[in-house]
Amino acid sequence: MRTIRPGFFRRTFASTPAIRSSWSTGPSPPRLPKEEQELFEKLQQSSSGAFSAPKTAKPEVQPVEPVLAQSSEAGDMLAQLRQKAQLAAKGDGEELHPNIRRGAAPEFEGDVNPKTGEAGGPKNEPLRWGAGSDWSYNGRVTDF
Amino acid sequence: MCREAAKTVYELENYGMPFSRTEDGRIYQRALGGQSLEYGKGGQAYRCCAAADRTGHAMLHTLYGQSLKHNTNFFIEFFAIDLLMVDGACVGVLCMSMEDGTLHRVFARNTVLATGGYGRSYFSCTSAHTSTGDGNAMVARAGLPNQDFEFIQFHPSGIYGAGVLITEGARGEGGYLLNAQGERFMERYAPTAKDLASRDVVSRSMTIEIREGRGCGPDKDHVLLQLSHLPKDLIYERLPGIAETASVFAGIDITKEPIPVLPTVHYCMGGVPTNWKGQVLTVDSVSGSEKTVDGLYAAGEVASVSVHGANRLGANSLLDLVVFGRACAMDIAEKSERGMPHTAVPDDIGHDSLAEMEAIRNSEGDVLSAQIRADMQKVMQTDIAVFRTKDSLEVGNERLGKIQQDFKNRLAVKDKSMVWNSDLVETLELRNLLTCAAQTAGSALAREESRGSHAREDFPDRDDKEWMKHSLTWQRREGDKVEVGYRKVTGTTLDEEECKAVLPVTRSY
């Protein structure tokens, strides 16, 4: 039977040397071997929610050289896509997948429309094409 | 309506409806097409109030809150079957509780109809599934007339199947309509304006293409609105949100496929004729003069006051509803008090309606009511929609006659219980829809001119001399011949000193 090191259950947890917190480990899954546990906790810290690249975008593995010759355009587009995917996540764990079809983005934040001074109005102007057009939200007409 | 509009909005606002505001706290108003100053000569007017993007929802909850404050009794899951009439006055309603299968005769000194329009008589409509003209049909079965049924408002691009409308801005930003042969057919109907032609021209062109067999899909009954030829950025920037609408309601990716669309019913201008107090009117069969029906009021899409005439302007449906709902309430408050006695009624009142319902419940034919409804909707959409000629209307009338005979003779109702019998309730709703459809077809055939939303190819002009009058239609039982009569249009205002009458002017684009 393996002996459990004394002080094993009173281990202090510190990911950065500056912060020292001592807390006893409550009920938890069995801990991994030391290096793997540290790696796991580091990844958890630097994650910014589902469907997004981690905060410290230092790739652990070197990017694999593509077998086929990739044109610079495709590389740019790929980089843009990655950036879009990154920006979509705000790190609170509640984000949607970047490819989900969303309605029109709100034109302004808060309550007051900066262009017209309307408070409590719709976030997207319903008369998009002026007074002669139909009253619509997300392309869907409700009055004309 | 114009005089009471502001007071009504203030009253709603005092109840707590969250209208959007300007910087100095007044209600924010937008411009909407058709609203002008100086009777059309003074430029655009800014009158449209809204509450964020959910005005109707906000109004519903505000009024619901107020109704709770006044201890209103709501009978939920009750289906009104018929009006109870004694000597031409309305004394109450016969209804069925769907929850427990009981039948109720509710007696009241005043009955207000607010049952909505009958959009569901057409194949494609924006209305809810409950928009089945119940109030209109109850009034017809009570022997009272309905007014101006031939005026139905269409929108050219409603998604096939869902009925949700796609904005005309989609065509404005470069989208175009295609028929089954992949042709941009608008070029033939409007060579200069092409897809940017006015709403009725586009609707008529789409209907003609479908009638002539160039429609798309397995039933060849719609056309396609293509936006996939536009660059993706343009779609996302100029038409934000349309990708979501198209994917949710049509199941397509707008950057790759076209949207299936067809002209869709949005509003029914016709309805139960009322005066400005909301009291239902009828024409006395003996003297030919108008009189009000005691104890019966109507407001909203079910009624035809008529403030919309032959074509409704934007933002006027909600306004019509609140102003005349309030008018009904004020008239009732003036005339009634708590604890007034009911009229004496015969013991067997309502029994004939019950007998009819029993007959329907026990029907053992071979055609399901869903099939009859589908047939009726197809006929209305093909023959009595945007494109109307004498031939199409006569064919439509004949087909509707056959469908009504099928309803009378070959109907099958499979569910015989009384509790939550959706088969029975849908069949009763179909009965209501059939009479609305028949009266629409009858009055459309009779009116031989084009006026507003009733546009006939064989009589393309407006004829004020002969046809400046309201159509009245009567149909007591399904399958009966629709009787068409007429009623003068009220050309004067209530008080000529306060506001002079506005004379009609020919509309020119």
Side-chain angles (χ1 to χ4, degrees):
Chain A
M1 176 89 148
R2 248 190 2 211
T3 54
I4 309 223
R5 275 201 318 253
F8 180 82
F9 290 109
R10 275 184 293 108
R11 209 166 97 175
T12 54
F13 170 76
S15 61
T16 58
I19 304 167
R20 274 218 172 271
S21 64
S22 58
W23 46 276
S24 56
T25 49
S28 67
R31 287 179 164 269
L32 297 162
K34 188 164 180 302
E35 299 83 18
E36 290 175 31
Q37 182 67 34
E38 270 173 13
L39 178 63
F40 172 67
E41 273 156 10
K42 188 154 75 78
L43 287 172
Q44 281 281 73
Q45 285 282 300
S46 64
S47 129
S48 54
F51 306 123
S52 61
K55 278 193 288 233
T56 56
K58 273 246 156 53
E60 291 288 331
V61 186
Q62 290 302 320
V64 178
E65 286 300 321
V67 178
L68 305 156
Q70 232 181 20
S71 70
S72 58
E73 258 180 42
D76 283 341
M77 271 181 58
L78 210 53
Q80 261 182 7
L81 261 162
R82 273 205 208 99
Q83 210 180 29
K84 271 209 193 115
Q86 268 179 354
L87 291 170
K90 289 195 188 59
D92 57 3
E94 298 293 335
E95 312 86 5
L96 297 168
H97 192 274
N99 284 347
I100 280 191
R101 269 186 260 273
R102 273 167 279 211
E107 280 167 12
F108 58 90
E109 301 260 323
D111 219 17
V112 181
N113 186 331
K115 266 190 274 175
T116 56
E118 182 188 6
K123 285 277 193 296
N124 287 298
E125 175 58 37
L127 295 167
R128 255 193 99 78
W129 293 274
S133 62
D134 33 35
W135 186 286
S136 58
Y137 291 112
N138 276 348
R140 183 181 162 183
V141 173
T142 47
D143 199 6
F144 57 93
Chain B
M1 178 169 91
C2 299
R3 187 182 73 188
E4 298 292 317
K7 288 189 213 153
T8 315
V9 171
Y10 288 150
E11 191 176 329
L12 277 174
E13 195 269 326
N14 288 338
Y15 288 154
M17 183 160 162
F19 285 108
S20 59
R21 305 287 175 155
T22 61
E23 282 146 345
D24 41 336
R26 304 168 71 104
I27 296 181
Y28 186 86
Q29 292 176 293
R30 281 184 165 73
L32 187 56
Q35 293 173 1
S36 54
L37 300 166
E38 302 289 329
Y39 305 112
K41 302 183 189 67
Q44 183 69 40
Y46 292 73
R47 297 192 191 113
C48 213
C49 313
D53 47 2
R54 41 172 180 56
T55 314
H57 178 249
M59 185 188 293
L60 181 73
H61 284 276
T62 309
L63 292 173
Y64 180 62
Q66 281 298 308
S67 71
L68 291 177
K69 183 172 156 196
H70 294 280
N71 292 323
T72 318
N73 222 341
F74 284 99
F75 294 97
I76 312 182
E77 308 301 356
F78 274 63
F79 181 77
I81 303 176
D82 260 317
L83 296 173
L84 303 172
M85 308 288 286
V86 168
D87 295 331
C90 179
V91 295
V93 173
L94 170 70
C95 51
M96 177 171 97
S97 165
M98 294 193 282
E99 220 172 343
D100 53 12
T102 48
L103 295 157
H104 300 260
R105 289 186 298 193
V106 180
F107 293 106
R109 288 186 64 90
N110 300 297
T111 308
V112 181
L113 293 171
T115 48
Y118 54 96
R120 282 282 151 185
S121 55
Y122 282 80
F123 179 69
S124 179
C125 62
T126 58
S127 354
H129 286 281
T130 51
S131 225
T132 48
D134 297 332
N136 294 308
M138 293 202 291
V139 151
R141 282 196 290 273
L144 301 170
N146 276 300
Q147 178 172 275
D148 291 342
F149 259 8
E150 64 268 34
F151 300 114
I152 310 245
Q153 193 176 42
F154 282 82
H155 188 277
S157 41
I159 297 183
Y160 180 73
V164 168
L165 301 173
I166 290 285
T167 172
E168 298 184 296
R171 279 179 285 121
E173 298 290 349
Y176 46 71
L177 294 164
L178 298 171
N179 61 15
Q181 291 157 359
E183 179 204 354
R184 278 184 72 170
F185 60 85
M186 283 310 300
E187 284 172 351
R188 269 189 285 124
Y189 296 93
T192 0
K194 297 196 236 229
D195 293 274
L196 299 175
S198 70
R199 235 171 254 143
D200 33 359
V201 174
V202 175
S203 301
R204 265 212 287 290
S205 319
M206 288 163 84
T207 313
I208 295 176
E209 288 292 304
I210 294 172
R211 277 175 73 90
E212 292 183 355
R214 293 187 286 277
C216 313
D219 292 330
K220 294 195 177 1
D221 52 1
H222 58 270
V223 293
L224 301 171
L225 172 62
Q226 178 166 293
L227 288 166
S228 49
H229 60 280
L230 298 169
K232 251 196 217 185
D233 296 335
L234 191 95
I235 299 184
Y236 288 137
E237 190 209 318
R238 306 305 302 271
L239 295 163
I242 205 171
E244 191 212 13
T245 306
S247 121
V248 167
F249 293 104
I252 57 146
D253 181 348
I254 201 166
T255 52
K256 301 202 187 83
E257 296 159 290
I259 315 176
V261 295
L262 75 167
T264 303
V265 172
H266 184 64
Y267 188 82
C268 307
M269 268 72 74
V272 181
T274 69
N275 60 13
W276 60 277
K277 293 190 236 173
Q279 295 170 310
V280 170
L281 299 170
T282 182
V283 172
D284 188 27
S285 47
V286 173
S287 62
S289 62
E290 278 177 20
K291 59 180 174 94
T292 58
V293 177
D294 273 339
L296 191 58
Y297 294 79
E301 201 175 341
V302 70
S304 163
V305 184
S306 117
V307 276
H308 305 304
N311 213 343
R312 176 193 67 98
L313 289 176
N316 274 354
S317 170
L318 267 182
L319 186 64
D320 167 31
L321 171 64
V322 294
V323 166
F324 292 105
R326 182 167 172 265
C328 290
M330 297 204 305
D331 197 54
I332 291 176
E334 238 177 56
K335 299 199 174 120
S336 322
E337 265 174 25
R338 193 192 286 272
M340 285 170 91
H342 290 297
T343 343
V345 294
D347 276 338
D348 65 346
I349 192 171
H351 282 201
D352 38 2
S353 314
L354 280 178
E356 279 175 21
M357 197 197 82
E358 262 303 281
I360 290 179
R361 187 173 74 99
N362 293 325
S363 314
E364 295 286 356
D366 57 330
V367 186
L368 290 177
S369 68
Q371 182 60 46
I372 300 182
R373 187 175 60 227
D375 291 337
M376 170 192 72
Q377 288 174 338
K378 295 267 177 194
V379 169
M380 293 298 279
Q381 187 77 31
T382 326
D383 295 321
I384 309 169
V386 187
F387 178 76
R388 296 175 181 179
T389 57
K390 193 160 151 75
D391 289 329
S392 80
L393 291 172
E394 279 180 350
V395 165
N397 265 294
E398 208 191 294
R399 283 197 204 153
L400 268 179
K402 269 213 239 27
I403 292 174
Q404 288 177 82
Q405 290 304 319
D406 278 349
F407 182 81
K408 265 172 57 179
N409 306 324
R410 291 172 63 193
L411 179 67
V413 171
K414 299 289 185 195
D415 188 350
K416 302 295 179 195
S417 87
M418 283 298 284
V419 178
W420 292 119
N421 189 346
S422 59
D423 200 355
L424 176 64
V425 169
E426 282 186 11
T427 309
L428 293 173
E429 288 182 334
L430 173 60
R431 182 170 67 143
N432 297 338
L433 278 175
L434 275 173
T435 174
C436 292
Q439 291 184 43
T440 304
S443 51
L445 182 56
R447 184 173 284 263
E448 292 181 339
E449 59 149 4
S450 289
R451 182 180 290 269
S453 55
H454 172 71
R456 283 185 66 160
E457 301 291 311
D458 42 356
F459 297 96
D461 299 310
R462 194 173 96 184
D463 185 352
D464 278 348
K465 224 168 23 98
E466 183 64 35
W467 284 101
M468 178 68 113
K469 49 195 182 186
H470 292 294
S471 324
L472 294 172
T473 46
W474 286 264
Q475 191 196 42
R476 238 184 217 276
R477 294 282 171 273
E478 56 276 2
D480 287 357
K481 185 163 174 331
V482 171
E483 284 169 40
V484 185
Y486 295 97
R487 191 186 143 228
K488 263 186 350 155
V489 173
T490 317
T492 51
T493 60
L494 289 173
D495 182 352
E496 288 285 329
E497 299 291 308
E498 185 185 6
C499 170
K500 285 220 184 348
V502 182
L503 296 166
V505 166
T506 11
R507 184 173 66 163
S508 52
Y509 285 110

